[in-house]
Amino acid sequence: MDLVTWDKSYSVSVECCDAEHRKLFFLLNALHEAMKAGHSRAILAGTVHDLEKYTETHFRAEEALMQRAQYPKLPEHRLEHQKFVAQVKQFRHDLETGGTCDPNAVVMFVGDWLAKHIMQTDKMYSNHLNSHGIN
Ligand SMILES: [Fe+2]
Ligand SMILES: [Fe+2]
């Protein structure tokens, strides 16, 4: 069973962001599956890397939309993105180098962060972006 399932309650009212969030959930579920299957830390690190790369792609696209709409909360939103990417990179580095981080804790952290960030921080831009013709 999937760890997280995207449904309408996650919608931020901007079609491309919703599509990217769905893909992030898909990658997170793939990581969760790989972990449950007992894959090595090296393989998990590769899966975390996929998630990290796509997260960066999504954040860039999302920030560009906020910039285009001159969204006033962009600086703090970007900071949240940057902190998350730094944390995920650290987890990946730890997995790659035989550190002590627990893969299950990584999956839980990423899942909680994504759900909370979409529900609280991303949803805050919906009205502003929609009112600037970004849907
Ligand atoms: Fe965001
Ligand atoms: Fe987002």
Side-chain angles (χ1 to χ4, degrees):
M1 209 187 93
D2 283 350
L3 179 70
V4 282
T5 309
W6 191 94
D7 62 40
K8 282 263 175 228
S9 69
Y10 287 100
S11 176
V12 295
S13 305
V14 176
E15 220 173 297
C16 60
C17 291
D18 282 346
E20 288 163 9
H21 291 153
R22 294 176 89 119
K23 179 151 179 188
L24 283 172
F25 280 14
F26 172 83
L27 292 168
L28 174 64
N29 286 326
L31 173 64
H32 185 230
E33 286 306 316
M35 188 202 69
K36 282 197 300 185
H39 286 309
S40 69
R41 292 170 75 87
I43 289 188
L44 294 179
T47 314
V48 171
H49 196 215
D50 293 340
L51 184 72
E52 177 189 319
K53 287 288 140 205
Y54 192 71
T55 300
E56 289 181 302
T57 301
H58 165 60
F59 287 172
R60 259 197 307 274
E62 199 174 68
E63 287 168 19
L65 291 177
M66 289 189 271
Q67 179 98 51
R68 204 168 97 200
Q70 295 181 307
Y71 179 56
K73 290 190 168 84
L74 172 57
E76 51 262 51
H77 195 134
R78 182 180 275 137
L79 202 64
E80 277 192 36
H81 286 170
Q82 286 169 345
K83 281 189 190 164
F84 178 69
V85 169
Q87 179 69 73
V88 173
K89 279 184 196 296
Q90 201 179 317
F91 281 140
R92 173 171 58 83
H93 181 74
D94 192 276
L95 288 168
E96 281 168 353
T97 56
T100 53
C101 83
D102 169 15
N104 190 50
V106 176
V107 172
M108 292 305 148
F109 170 80
V110 172
D112 282 351
W113 190 93
L114 278 177
K116 215 177 277 175
H117 181 81
I118 293 169
M119 285 296 196
Q120 294 173 5
T121 307
D122 285 352
K123 272 174 181 276
M124 275 199 278
Y125 63 54
S126 301
N127 286 342
H128 187 88
L129 264 59
N130 289 168
S131 72
H132 285 72
I134 300 169
N135 298 287

